[in-house]
Amino acid sequence: MKKYFSPKNIRNYLIKRKIKNNNRFNIEWKDQNFNRIALVNLLLKHYENPDYLEIGCNENKLFDSVYIDNKIGVDPIRGGNIRLTSDEFFKNNKKKFDLIFIDGLHEYQQVRKDFINSYNSLKPNGYILLHDMHPRYIYEEYTPKINNTWTGDCWKLAYELSLQKHKMQIIMIDFGIGIFKNLGKKFELNDDNFKKIKKLDFNFFYENYKLFDTISLSEFKKTIKDKYN
Ligand SMILES: C[S@@+](CC[C@H](N)C(=O)[O-])C[C@H]1O[C@@H](n2cnc3c(N)ncnc32)[C@H](O)[C@@H]1O
């Protein structure tokens, strides 16, 4: 009872009342057994002796399930094997990786920073994967967090990349997994775009859904051999 009426819960309740909105994607992620763990292991199979980096590890659900020797997990609080924030880690990092999974702080500005730093630490033909790229309703997306399931506003990075013709697909599993391959193209993001995109909310994602390059698991499985090998 005490917990139910905590200042945080009251604050979240009041925000939810204010932003009430009916736009909703009817997606049940639990219906798909193929999740981020399966995807990471599938992609790592294509490399010889791969190097893996995970940003944000928490209970190591993914990190412990990545069945390779060379793996680094960065988290300031728990999980992984390096106790730093992603910014602190990248500041001194010289290592390059075949696959980087970004799943730290789910706020656009931080995800964008993690993405840029990851890109600079990616081997040719390496992948960046990003968790939680597909919010289903406004409370799940609202940032800072007000809801139990929380994707944050990471989707804004997919939109920003699309404006500059950089390809990021969103695989329709496990709260949406963004996938980006290093094809060696010169890469720069524009800070003016960032300022405009930061102000957008879930309704933009919902109403402009066609702009996002979403791909179903079955389509992804069909194309993975020609597209990503
Ligand atoms: C959603 S959990 C990660 C789940 C994990 N990747 C998995 O798949 O099981 C997010 C984690 O990000 C961590 N985190 C928050 N801010 C971070 C930052 N600036 N740098 C790295 N990790 C961060 C949190 O401590 C938390 O453990």
Side-chain angles (χ1 to χ4, degrees):
M1 195 55 107
K2 202 172 155 201
K3 204 172 162 206
Y4 188 76
F5 290 110
S6 71
K8 193 172 114 199
N9 284 352
I10 293 169
R11 171 193 155 271
N12 291 350
Y13 169 77
L14 291 174
I15 296 173
K16 281 182 177 179
R17 267 183 42 160
K18 214 167 111 191
I19 61 167
K20 221 170 177 14
N21 171 294
N22 292 328
N23 288 337
R24 194 181 185 102
F25 294 97
N26 288 318
I27 302 169
E28 203 41 84
W29 299 115
K30 285 198 289 280
D31 291 348
Q32 299 262 24
N33 289 328
F34 192 100
N35 61 9
R36 63 192 183 287
I37 297 173
L39 181 65
V40 167
N41 282 302
L42 173 69
L43 293 173
L44 284 172
K45 259 188 8 190
H46 296 107
Y47 301 95
E48 213 173 292
N49 205 16
D51 287 291
Y52 171 73
L53 170 65
E54 186 170 326
I55 302 295
C57 302
N58 201 18
E59 291 171 344
N60 282 345
K61 278 192 190 147
L62 169 60
F63 192 68
D64 283 350
S65 309
V66 176
Y67 194 62
I68 59 165
D69 293 328
N70 307 324
K71 55 181 184 177
I72 293 181
V74 176
D75 196 302
I77 297 174
R78 61 177 175 172
N81 48 19
I82 295 198
R83 193 64 63 239
L84 291 174
T85 65
S86 49
D87 289 350
E88 290 162 348
F89 169 77
F90 281 120
K91 211 163 128 191
N92 295 314
N93 174 55
K94 301 264 181 308
K95 218 171 146 53
K96 300 271 181 188
F97 301 92
D98 296 288
L99 200 159
I100 303 179
F101 192 86
I102 300 178
D103 195 12
L105 183 60
H106 286 50
E107 295 184 359
Y108 172 39
Q109 184 160 7
Q110 185 61 49
V111 171
R112 187 178 189 265
K113 247 199 265 178
D114 288 345
F115 183 81
I116 294 167
N117 286 329
S118 294
Y119 188 80
N120 293 328
S121 304
L122 200 59
K123 292 188 200 173
N125 291 316
Y127 286 101
I128 299 175
L129 298 182
L130 301 101
H131 198 207
D132 295 310
M133 293 298 280
H134 195 305
R136 294 170 297 179
Y137 49 95
I138 197 156
Y139 303 155
E140 195 170 69
E141 191 266 357
Y142 189 88
T143 304
K145 180 176 175 170
I146 55 166
N147 197 57
N148 284 343
T149 60
W150 186 55
T151 60
D153 57 355
C154 315
W155 64 271
K156 292 176 183 171
L157 178 66
Y159 178 57
E160 184 178 355
L161 289 171
S162 75
L163 293 180
Q164 295 189 228
K165 310 270 181 277
H166 293 297
K167 195 172 172 58
M168 177 182 294
Q169 287 186 303
I170 300 176
I171 306 171
M172 295 298 284
I173 56 169
D174 205 341
F175 293 87
I177 310 261
I179 182 161
F180 181 95
K181 188 169 189 185
N182 184 3
L183 296 171
K185 287 188 189 147
K186 200 170 151 32
F187 183 85
E188 220 170 280
L189 290 178
N190 175 323
D191 285 346
D192 289 337
N193 284 345
F194 168 72
K195 282 179 206 142
K196 285 181 210 144
I197 295 168
K198 197 169 155 42
K199 293 184 192 139
L200 301 175
D201 68 8
F202 173 76
N203 291 319
F204 182 90
F205 179 72
Y206 188 86
E207 283 156 16
N208 296 278
Y209 195 56
K210 280 194 189 132
L211 300 177
F212 294 85
D213 192 359
T214 55
I215 181 164
S216 70
L217 177 61
S218 53
E219 274 177 87
F220 178 74
K221 279 184 172 166
K222 267 190 249 153
T223 59
I224 187 166
K225 286 219 165 70
D226 2 309
K227 226 176 193 174
Y228 293 109
N229 277 333

